[in-house]
Amino acid sequence: MALTGRAALLAALGSLPVGIWEPSWMGMLAVNAPLAVACACDFALAAPVRRLGLARSGDTSARLGEAADVTLTITNPSGRPLRAHVRDAWPPSSWQPGTEVEASRHQLTVPAGERRRLTTRLRPTRRGDRQSDRVTIRSYGPLRLFSRQGTHKVPWTVRVLPPFTSRKHLPSKLARLRELDGRTSVLTRGEGTEFDSLREYVPGDDTRSIDWRATARQTSVAVRTWRPERDRHILVVLDTGRTSAGRVGDAPRLDASMDAALLLAALASRAGDRVDLLAYDRRVRAVVQGRTAKDLLPSLVNAMAPLEPELVETNARGLTATALRTAPRRSLIVLLSSLDAAPIEEGLLPVLPQLTQRHTVLLASVADPHIARMATSRGNTDAVYEAAAAAQAQTERHRTAEQLRRHGVTVVDATPNDLAPALADAYLALKAAGRL
């Protein structure tokens, strides 16, 4: 039970001394008694809060940056109409900054024995699961002098999925894939590819592709065309250790790695390859295996959504052993990790031969565009020092990448906006070369 501001103001006016009201106690009683009766009646006519029935429905998932609508149904079983202010509380990251008050507070009236729905629109600013907190309802009487207030727990979870902003690159990569598959006039040949068909020799064709038997049966020179093999296995490994927590721009490196992994998975599944996911730091954080092409992307984004970087050093030996168990046959292992010298030299390089002797390994890393801008800065002493530091960082990064290449690893090092298409291009290049 609560006294509203209107009732408090009337009570204060009713108790003023000489100069406004009659100074005797009878005068004060004469003024306040009707107010007390009005407040009592108003309180009695306010619908009870505890007896209300509440239920939720609506969206259970949304991509980061998109809206999610959650509907709250309020049933009034009492014989009095409900006039209420409602606050639907969610975690702060469920709203854009400055919009929480407007989005979470509602006013409604529910006649006796009826129900009404109100919708809370969430605009989450972070990936992961957003769980509703509580619903606070303040019920007023017809005069709004007194109110009843109570809270209800109405559980609901909205999973905020990775945004997959690199989806815009998929059509161009699929066009390139169709060229590799021999569906256009551009045909490629490489070790480990499958025979597709015969066509007439064109100057510039590899002479090793000439089919001499077919040539002997016709008047022109015939060459064999090839297409990349299908049904290859790709294991995408997300390093969720401390290096993935470093922020590049407005997001951690892990988010850029996820976006690149989604584009690669979408492309590879269209190419007929099988894609699995492993997220690891010192233990397995997520695994997606054995999904069909139709179910692959929904499974991946659902598994990636709650992942957060762990502030621990990644156990390279454990990661390698887990990857080998997950991919027992020859596969393309795509490791989305850091190119920092210490984790590579002390962690990955000693165990890398275990991967490269059985699998094709590709390492993709997120580069900081700010370092590239620093390397070109000039004009004053501070800028020159910044340029020198950036050049040193770039040199160390290139040296680490070269060490990996000497072990047979394909390295992709690109900024967050360029990592996804660069990784897709590296996959297509491996496929064109017959290395999958």
Side-chain angles (χ1 to χ4, degrees):
M1 180 178 69
L3 186 68
T4 66
R6 182 184 301 181
L9 177 61
L10 292 175
L13 292 175
S15 60
L16 288 178
V18 180
I20 298 181
W21 305 111
E22 188 176 341
S24 67
W25 66 270
M26 295 185 60
M28 295 177 63
L29 180 62
V31 172
N32 285 327
L35 176 61
V37 172
C39 288
C41 293
D42 201 48
F43 175 74
L45 293 175
V49 174
R50 301 293 182 185
R51 294 173 54 193
L52 296 175
L54 281 78
R56 290 192 187 273
S57 60
D59 295 333
T60 57
S61 64
R63 292 195 181 276
L64 183 63
E66 298 179 355
D69 292 335
V70 180
T71 300
L72 183 67
T73 302
I74 300 179
T75 304
N76 179 16
S78 70
R80 288 162 281 179
L82 172 68
R83 309 169 188 87
H85 287 172
V86 180
R87 179 174 182 261
D88 190 3
W90 290 75
S93 59
S94 302
W95 326 90
Q96 295 290 339
T99 64
E100 177 180 358
V101 173
E102 179 182 356
S104 64
R105 287 166 170 77
H106 311 269
Q107 295 186 33
L108 83 164
T109 300
V110 184
E114 296 187 15
R115 67 182 63 180
R116 293 291 185 271
R117 294 181 176 88
L118 55 88
T119 300
T120 300
R121 172 157 290 187
L122 309 179
R123 290 191 178 273
T125 57
R126 292 178 56 190
R127 286 183 296 101
D129 292 336
R130 298 292 167 266
Q131 297 179 344
S132 61
D133 186 6
R134 66 192 69 184
V135 178
T136 303
I137 300 177
R138 180 173 292 178
S139 172
Y140 293 91
L143 300 178
R144 292 184 174 270
L145 298 177
F146 262 81
S147 66
R148 305 169 184 258
Q149 181 169 309
T151 60
H152 293 258
K153 282 284 189 179
V154 192
W156 193 259
T157 300
V158 175
R159 172 155 287 190
V160 186
L161 307 173
F164 194 11
T165 55
S166 62
R167 185 192 296 270
K168 61 187 177 184
H169 299 289
L170 188 57
S172 63
K173 305 307 174 187
L174 289 176
R176 174 60 179 155
L177 178 64
R178 285 192 292 271
E179 293 178 357
L180 297 180
D181 275 345
R183 299 190 193 118
T184 66
S185 60
V186 180
L187 296 167
T188 62
R189 181 185 186 278
E191 180 185 354
T193 53
E194 296 176 342
F195 173 74
D196 183 47
S197 60
L198 293 171
R199 64 172 172 82
E200 187 175 346
Y201 175 83
V202 175
D205 284 339
D206 190 342
T207 56
R208 292 175 298 179
S209 63
I210 296 176
D211 189 319
W212 296 107
R213 291 186 178 181
T215 300
R217 293 193 298 268
Q218 58 189 42
T219 58
S220 59
V221 178
V223 295
R224 291 185 289 268
T225 61
W226 310 81
R227 61 183 176 188
E229 292 181 0
R230 291 176 169 270
D231 199 29
R232 302 297 91 186
H233 181 228
I234 300 171
L235 176 61
V236 179
V237 182
L238 283 175
D239 180 355
T240 56
R242 65 168 184 83
T243 56
S244 67
R247 299 187 74 84
V248 179
D250 296 330
R253 282 185 167 90
L254 182 60
D255 285 32
S257 297
M258 288 180 179
D259 193 51
L262 289 174
L263 180 62
L264 175 63
L267 180 62
S269 64
R270 299 286 186 90
D273 293 333
R274 294 172 290 111
V275 182
D276 293 337
L277 172 74
L278 170 66
Y280 191 94
D281 43 70
R282 289 193 175 180
R283 63 180 179 87
V284 175
R285 301 290 176 178
V287 175
V288 175
Q289 284 184 287
R291 298 296 191 273
T292 63
K294 180 180 179 181
D295 297 332
L296 178 61
L297 280 182
S299 299
L300 290 179
V301 295
N302 193 57
M304 291 177 179
L307 288 178
E308 294 293 343
E310 299 292 330
L311 300 182
V312 296
E313 195 71 48
T314 299
N315 181 356
R317 292 187 180 277
L319 185 149
T320 301
T322 306
L324 291 172
R325 288 196 301 268
T326 308
R329 297 180 180 178
R330 182 167 182 82
S331 308
L332 170 64
I333 294 183
V334 180
L335 176 59
L336 290 147
S337 184
S338 167
L339 265 180
D340 293 349
I344 295 294
E345 294 175 357
E346 299 173 11
L348 183 61
L349 284 180
V351 297
L352 190 57
Q354 300 177 33
L355 291 176
T356 55
Q357 69 182 0
R358 188 187 304 179
H359 304 290
T360 301
V361 180
L362 189 159
L363 186 143
S365 180
V366 182
D368 191 344
H370 182 61
I371 294 180
R373 290 193 296 268
M374 287 173 56
T376 60
S377 61
R378 299 292 187 274
N380 55 49
T381 304
D382 291 342
V384 171
Y385 278 116
E386 286 183 357
Q392 182 179 1
Q394 288 177 330
T395 300
E396 186 176 82
R397 197 173 182 89
H398 294 159
R399 181 177 60 83
T400 304
E402 191 57 35
Q403 285 182 297
L404 291 169
R405 291 189 181 100
R406 285 199 295 269
H407 284 77
V409 177
T410 302
V411 178
V412 175
D413 186 20
T415 60
N417 291 335
D418 298 331
L419 182 65
L423 179 58
D425 287 339
Y427 162 76
L428 292 173
L430 290 172
K431 205 165 186 64
R435 293 181 57 191
L436 298 188

